[in-house]
Amino acid sequence: DYLTCTDNAISAIAKIMRHRAEALPAGVTKEQILPRWIQWLPLHEDDEEGEHVYGFVCDLLENNDPTIMANSSTVIPHLIKCFAHAFNHALLKEEKPTYARAVVIIAQVQQNAADMFNLCCSGLDPDELKCLHKALSI
């Protein structure tokens, strides 16, 4: 139950940042929250929330979000590890659009930043690595 609650809280904050950033407390911006929020990833067991959270991550990466890009050498490897974790734990399902979006993003990193991609892979456990390779071969 603890992990599901944590996943739900992470997702709730993602939904606020994605759809209602103006609802954040006065003086608090998405740019202030985003780095901390990314550190809370990956989700652990709630596949329903996985679609929302990883969909938001895809939005950030596809739009070259300045907060992400400012720290891309550390944030992008972390997010790729989170995607691999999500694939391995079925938090992203192959039949869902977010899965395909994540695969495209990972493939772009693999093509355009091979050293970063290899570094990401070196930190994965064997099951995560297998899931990542499977996703990239589809």
Side-chain angles (χ1 to χ4, degrees):
D1 284 341
Y2 168 77
L3 292 176
T4 300
C5 292
T6 300
D7 288 354
N8 284 317
I10 292 168
S11 183
I13 293 169
K15 290 172 188 174
I16 292 168
M17 288 190 292
R18 187 180 196 184
H19 301 293
R20 294 269 323 215
E22 73 279 0
L24 292 169
V28 177
T29 65
K30 179 183 111 180
E31 293 74 22
Q32 292 171 314
I33 296 172
L34 193 56
R36 175 68 52 101
W37 179 82
I38 288 169
Q39 293 174 358
W40 296 337
L41 299 174
L43 297 185
H44 292 283
E45 57 184 41
D46 195 330
D47 61 330
E48 241 179 81
E49 299 304 340
E51 272 299 303
H52 299 289
V53 168
Y54 293 111
F56 180 54
V57 169
C58 288
D59 289 348
L60 295 168
L61 292 167
E62 291 165 347
N63 294 310
N64 294 313
D65 181 272
T67 305
I68 300 286
M69 294 303 122
N71 299 300
S72 62
S73 64
T74 56
V75 172
I76 292 175
H78 174 69
L79 293 175
I80 289 176
K81 289 176 184 179
C82 292
F83 282 136
H85 178 87
F87 296 159
N88 187 41
H89 294 280
L91 299 172
L92 285 176
K93 310 276 193 215
E94 287 183 42
E95 65 274 6
K96 299 285 187 170
T98 301
Y99 184 96
R101 291 172 68 199
V103 170
V104 167
I105 290 166
I106 295 165
Q108 288 173 343
V109 172
Q110 184 182 29
Q111 287 180 331
N112 300 326
D115 289 342
M116 181 184 290
F117 179 77
N118 292 333
L119 180 64
C120 295
C121 290
S122 70
L124 299 177
D125 72 36
D127 291 334
E128 290 171 339
L129 189 58
K130 181 179 175 182
C131 289
L132 185 64
H133 285 299
K134 178 183 176 226
L136 291 169
S137 68
I138 292 175

